[in-house]
Amino acid sequence: MTVPAIFDRLRLPVIGSPLFIISGPELVIAQCKAGIVGSFPALNARPQSLLAEWLHRITEELAAYNRDHPDRPAAPYAVNQIVHKSNDRLEQDLETCAKWQVPIFITSLGAREDLNTAVHGWGGIALHDVIDDRYARKAIEKGADGLIAVAAGAGGHAGRLSPFALIGEIRAWFDGPLALSGSIASGDAILAAQAMGADFAYIGSPFIATTEANADPEYKQGIVDGRAADIVYSDLFTGVHGNYLRASIERAGLDPDDLPQGDLKTMDFGGGNSSKPKAWRDIWGSGQGIGAVVAVEDVADRVDRMEREYHAARDRLRLAA
């Protein structure tokens, strides 16, 4: 498998997934300093002019960290772009990312060849979210360098397929960078993702319950208290199926066991006060792996824990061999 050299600085084979509203400079910088890829959705920076400020801050703080820690430099960061037609900021955000030469560019809800070409023009790596093999093939045909396989159990917008099936089908023809998303919240699960054929684990929900995350304290505690049984899969809130915390649905006055069907036409990623920020703010996304999250803690402590679990799992396999 071919993985670009940009990923050589990772302490763990982990990409922190971009969390709508929740991921900001504080979380991204903490993740990168801890040795994993930190990422955020460009749309989190509102108004659009704030995106350049965020990229400036992230770039400067990570450069300063690297000067002070040449033996253990920070991991690279990534910016997520929603390619859906309702995202009226996409072209502006692309220009801003080009100016700051964002090292890793993650696209979701639509693959476009011109975007990948632009990213390659400034020397970046383009990754694309996919939920099945058909979309994976389309993304690579349009010039994506790597894929993020979003399997069943992932937080936010999630697929329906087992990670075993999804990774197996993609690896049958693709040997480039491949991340797996879906219920990964421990070092054991990171190693399992690699054993299946993924290069990286794509982890989101555990980082909601961190001090650096821009999330409501009740949301963070909901991640700590929640289990897989507390996750509801529905397309009501954005028109695309996703996983959400049951308690947040109940707080909104809805019955999690009797939700109406959603409509794809309701999806709106506009740069202004669209319905999506309200949906994610009130209806909280979460993956099924949150049973492994037992406390709200700093990103550094969470990554330390995952690293210990990861190496302990590798040691167990060696002893069992």
Side-chain angles (χ1 to χ4, degrees):
M1 290 180 280
T2 305
V3 177
I6 190 174
F7 295 106
D8 290 347
R9 301 202 304 269
L10 268 60
R11 175 180 168 196
L12 278 175
V14 170
I15 298 173
S17 64
L19 303 165
F20 197 74
I21 297 177
I22 294 164
S23 300
E26 293 82 6
L27 181 57
V28 171
I29 291 167
Q31 289 173 322
C32 293
K33 287 181 178 180
I36 66 171
V37 174
S39 71
F40 70 95
L43 287 173
N44 279 8
R46 296 173 185 262
Q48 197 280 332
S49 59
L50 189 61
L51 179 59
E53 295 181 28
W54 281 16
L55 293 176
H56 179 266
R57 177 182 171 187
I58 291 169
T59 300
E60 290 298 311
E61 289 199 29
L62 293 183
Y65 179 86
N66 291 344
R67 287 193 296 270
D68 294 339
H69 303 83
D71 57 330
R72 193 173 185 175
Y77 72 92
V79 173
N80 171 227
Q81 295 284 8
I82 302 298
V83 186
H84 189 264
K85 62 183 179 181
S86 68
N87 179 9
D88 56 12
R89 282 180 37 173
L90 180 58
E91 299 306 323
Q92 283 181 286
D93 288 347
L94 179 63
E95 290 178 6
T96 304
C97 289
K99 177 180 178 181
W100 288 95
Q101 298 187 339
V102 170
I104 304 171
F105 199 77
I106 299 171
T107 51
S108 305
L109 299 174
R112 278 176 39 181
E113 186 173 358
D114 60 322
L115 295 183
N116 294 325
T117 299
V119 174
H120 296 154
W122 73 67
I125 302 296
L127 306 178
H128 187 68
D129 282 354
V130 298
I131 60 170
D132 60 31
D133 186 65
R134 181 169 68 93
Y135 284 117
R137 291 176 184 271
K138 285 185 176 182
I140 297 304
E141 287 172 2
K142 293 185 177 182
D145 300 293
L147 300 167
I148 299 163
V150 185
H157 292 144
R160 300 175 182 269
L161 298 181
S162 160
F164 293 97
L166 186 53
I167 292 295
E169 289 185 0
I170 293 173
R171 274 300 184 219
W173 59 272
F174 180 65
D175 67 352
L178 177 60
L180 174 64
S181 173
S183 307
I184 303 175
S186 67
D188 305 62
I190 295 169
L191 185 61
Q194 287 186 299
M196 278 191 282
D199 298 298
F200 312 102
Y202 199 68
I203 304 178
S205 299
F207 292 108
I208 297 171
T210 58
T211 56
E212 295 90 347
N214 180 35
D216 186 297
E218 291 189 31
Y219 188 179
K220 296 182 182 186
Q221 193 59 42
I223 297 292
V224 173
D225 296 338
R227 298 294 182 270
D230 299 311
I231 306 304
V232 177
Y233 190 63
S234 172
D235 65 352
L236 172 63
F237 306 108
T238 67
V240 174
H241 274 93
N243 284 314
Y244 306 92
L245 280 174
R246 174 178 291 269
S248 69
I249 298 173
E250 293 173 339
R251 286 197 342 167
L254 299 170
D255 182 355
D257 298 314
D258 188 25
L259 293 173
Q261 188 170 358
D263 184 348
L264 187 59
K265 294 178 183 179
T266 65
M267 185 181 293
D268 184 0
F269 293 95
N273 293 321
S274 67
S275 61
K276 176 149 173 69
K278 294 180 182 178
W280 291 110
R281 184 163 57 241
D282 300 330
I283 308 298
W284 295 334
S286 175
Q288 294 177 356
I290 55 175
V293 181
V294 299
V296 176
E297 57 189 347
D298 293 344
V299 165
D301 292 334
R302 176 132 297 147
V303 174
D304 285 346
R305 184 188 310 277
M306 288 179 173
E307 184 181 40
R308 291 194 299 270
E309 294 167 343
Y310 178 81
H311 290 294
R314 292 183 63 171
D315 290 341
R316 286 198 304 273
L317 289 179
R318 290 192 191 98
L319 291 173

